[in-house]
Amino acid sequence: MKLGISSYCLDREIEQGRMTLAEAIDWAAAQGAQCMELVPFAFRFDDPATGKIDTQAIAQVKKQARDAGVELCNYSVLADLCREGEAQRAEIDRLKHEIDIAAELGLPRMRHDVCAFRRPQGQNTPRDFERMLPRMAEAARELTQYGRSRGVQTLIENHGFFANGSDRVIRILDLVDDDNYGLLLDTGNVICVDEDPAIAARTLAPLCRMVHLKDFYIRTRDPGDSTQFDCAGSWFRSRGGRYLRGAILAQGDLDIEETLSALKHSGYDGHIVIEFEGMEDARYATSVGLHNARRAASGIRYK
């Protein structure tokens, strides 16, 4: 296993000008990160008006990572492939542009969502999923075929409340049915649909091409100040009604060592990056989380 961080952990630092992406890469290296995922929320690699890819910025980031000894392992973007007509075509074309950016970065993988994270709760039913499944799969298949032409494997992540949960993720992967399409398993996100992370890890490990390691606090009673979709430190509710809030890795209510053990014993030996979505200082929380991930991984014994 290679342990690292997602740039998403440091979004607030980058957005508020306290850190550049180059500095974030050097900081990750100083914490002992072996790899890093790039999530273009607080930065981007193209001109927002023209879409022209900034090859100079990409070259600088690649050099920064190479010099720091940090492997860039994935590129993650949001998407919604539940649209219709011209809107769906525009979304597919936008994601092909993102694949082009991932290819320029020399990244082997790109995660894209297949539905909106903020899809209304009332539209997350099994019936809604069955109705949207062919549309999501058809678009994802077109994208992964394009990704193959650019040397980029595309990934689905169990994310949000709709395209989440072991059964639904497997259904999507099976229907796309392309060996260039795999899974980015987020071990924390499964609790958004009230699944056990270790069981999900055992079930989905054979399909995994990458892993997000994340922790949450879980409460069964209203802790106050809860929202539906704000995951960046606020309490929100799972599909079954439990209250969740992002935590520093191994300080929340999820059993991180059990999940890592489930992955290892199921044969997964790839990249694992931590994500932090809590209230604490991002640098402190990410540093402690990465240390805890290493400590948990070192304690695993093969049976």
Side-chain angles (χ1 to χ4, degrees):
M1 292 181 178
K2 288 188 177 181
L3 292 173
I5 71 167
S6 173
S7 69
Y8 176 65
C9 298
L10 302 169
D11 262 7
R12 287 180 297 196
E13 299 297 293
I14 299 172
E15 284 173 350
Q16 296 174 20
R18 294 189 293 266
M19 182 183 274
T20 65
L21 177 57
E23 290 168 341
I25 292 170
D26 283 344
W27 183 88
Q31 310 313 305
Q34 297 172 288
C35 55
M36 189 170 186
E37 173 189 56
L38 298 179
V39 183
F41 292 171
F43 55 86
R44 59 188 302 156
F45 295 109
D46 62 356
D47 185 291
T50 66
K52 182 179 179 181
I53 296 175
D54 190 339
T55 54
Q56 183 176 356
I58 286 175
Q60 290 172 347
V61 165
K62 290 169 68 174
K63 182 179 186 303
Q64 195 79 30
R66 186 168 58 250
D67 291 347
V70 175
E71 180 183 357
L72 299 179
C73 59
N74 186 54
Y75 185 68
S76 281
V77 299
L78 300 176
D80 181 7
L81 300 178
C82 292
R83 304 181 183 192
E84 296 183 275
E86 292 182 3
Q88 181 81 328
R89 176 45 50 191
E91 184 72 338
I92 291 170
D93 290 344
R94 181 185 70 83
L95 290 169
K96 287 181 177 179
H97 174 69
E98 296 286 7
I99 290 171
D100 289 338
I101 292 174
E104 289 292 332
L105 283 160
L107 291 169
R109 308 176 196 90
M110 186 186 94
R111 179 222 83 173
H112 65 80
D113 289 332
V114 295
C115 67
F117 169 72
R118 288 177 171 81
R119 184 178 175 87
Q121 280 284 52
Q123 297 177 20
N124 289 327
T125 67
R127 179 176 292 180
D128 291 315
F129 180 79
E130 293 301 324
R131 182 168 57 87
M132 291 294 179
L133 178 58
R135 187 181 307 175
M136 293 186 293
E138 180 182 7
R141 188 181 305 112
E142 179 178 341
L143 287 165
T144 204
Q145 289 170 356
Y146 183 76
R148 180 184 287 105
S149 74
R150 297 304 317 270
V152 177
Q153 182 179 53
T154 59
L155 307 177
I156 181 176
E157 178 182 344
N158 56 301
H159 192 203
F161 304 93
F162 192 61
N164 198 353
S166 299
D167 288 350
R168 291 190 183 187
V169 166
I170 291 170
R171 292 287 307 284
I172 294 168
L173 286 163
D174 281 351
L175 194 55
V176 174
D177 191 25
D178 193 299
D179 61 9
N180 197 53
Y181 192 55
L183 171 64
L184 193 165
L185 170 63
D186 190 303
T187 62
N189 282 353
V190 293
I191 67 166
C192 294
V193 293
D194 305 287
E195 277 195 36
D196 180 274
I199 293 173
R202 291 188 188 96
T203 301
L204 297 172
L207 304 171
C208 281
R209 301 297 178 264
M210 189 176 154
V211 169
H212 281 169
L213 197 62
K214 190 155 60 184
D215 204 351
F216 284 100
Y217 299 110
I218 305 173
R219 298 292 181 270
T220 56
R221 294 179 176 84
D222 188 350
D225 193 30
S226 61
T227 68
Q228 183 54 59
F229 293 116
D230 183 7
C231 300
S234 297
W235 292 96
F236 66 102
R237 303 195 74 174
S238 72
R239 196 160 66 194
R242 294 188 296 178
Y243 295 88
L244 312 174
R245 195 183 83 192
I248 295 174
L249 192 78
Q251 293 187 4
D253 293 318
L254 305 186
D255 191 330
I256 302 304
E257 186 166 334
E258 182 187 18
T259 299
L260 284 172
S261 179
L263 285 167
K264 269 200 169 184
H265 291 135
S266 299
Y268 182 78
D269 195 32
H271 296 94
I272 298 177
V273 301
I274 68 167
E275 278 195 332
F276 168 68
E277 292 182 327
M279 298 178 66
E280 296 85 354
D281 174 79
R283 297 193 204 203
Y284 168 77
T286 304
S287 179
V288 171
L290 183 58
H291 170 76
N292 285 343
R294 282 197 297 266
R295 187 157 52 87
S298 68
I300 295 171
R301 297 290 180 266
Y302 284 103
K303 295 178 180 178

